[in-house]
Amino acid sequence: MGAPRIIIRMDSQVAAGQIDKSFQACHLELAKYLAAFRKAEAHFKGISVRSIPRSKIVDADALAKAAANNEPLPMHVLYGVLHGLAAQDTDSDAASAPVTAITTTPD
């Protein structure tokens, strides 16, 4: 276990439940993603998963979709360009660590 703990916030209650082991992945494609996640989780000291209601992130979802599709940003969504840290770790005991890329290969 190398990197510190990871905090995941997502709008999919099903995926969050599969990650925190309260749901089982029954669909074959989801089971493949979950298996890859289980391999990756060994690289962290701990994992915290929280499901956020989609209604609370409508604007963030619109921004992400526009960026992913290389489309103009929605006019109704207010946003700001960050020039510093976007979030602070609330765990005062957490050690600072560089971002680690985890890659997987089909096997």
Side-chain angles (χ1 to χ4, degrees):
M1 291 197 208
R5 112 190 122 81
I6 185 171
I7 300 169
I8 301 171
R9 292 181 182 97
M10 61 178 59
D11 65 349
S12 172
Q13 188 175 17
V14 171
Q18 290 171 355
I19 290 169
D20 74 10
K21 302 176 185 171
S22 60
F23 297 163
Q24 284 188 339
C26 296
H27 190 273
L28 181 60
E29 286 300 311
L30 292 177
K32 287 179 185 178
Y33 285 116
L34 188 58
F37 179 82
R38 293 287 174 240
K39 285 182 184 178
E41 79 178 325
H43 296 277
F44 298 94
K45 290 181 181 175
I47 295 176
S48 172
V49 182
R50 292 192 191 121
S51 176
I52 300 171
R54 195 170 289 222
S55 62
K56 300 232 181 220
I57 60 167
V58 173
D59 289 347
D61 194 42
L63 285 172
K65 285 180 182 175
N69 296 318
N70 201 23
E71 296 173 349
L73 298 178
M75 297 281 289
H76 72 282
V77 178
L78 298 176
Y79 66 94
V81 177
L82 301 176
H83 299 284
L85 294 175
Q88 297 290 327
D89 191 344
T90 56
D91 184 353
S92 60
D93 296 330
S96 179
V99 174
T100 304
I102 299 173
T103 56
T104 59
T105 57
D107 40 304

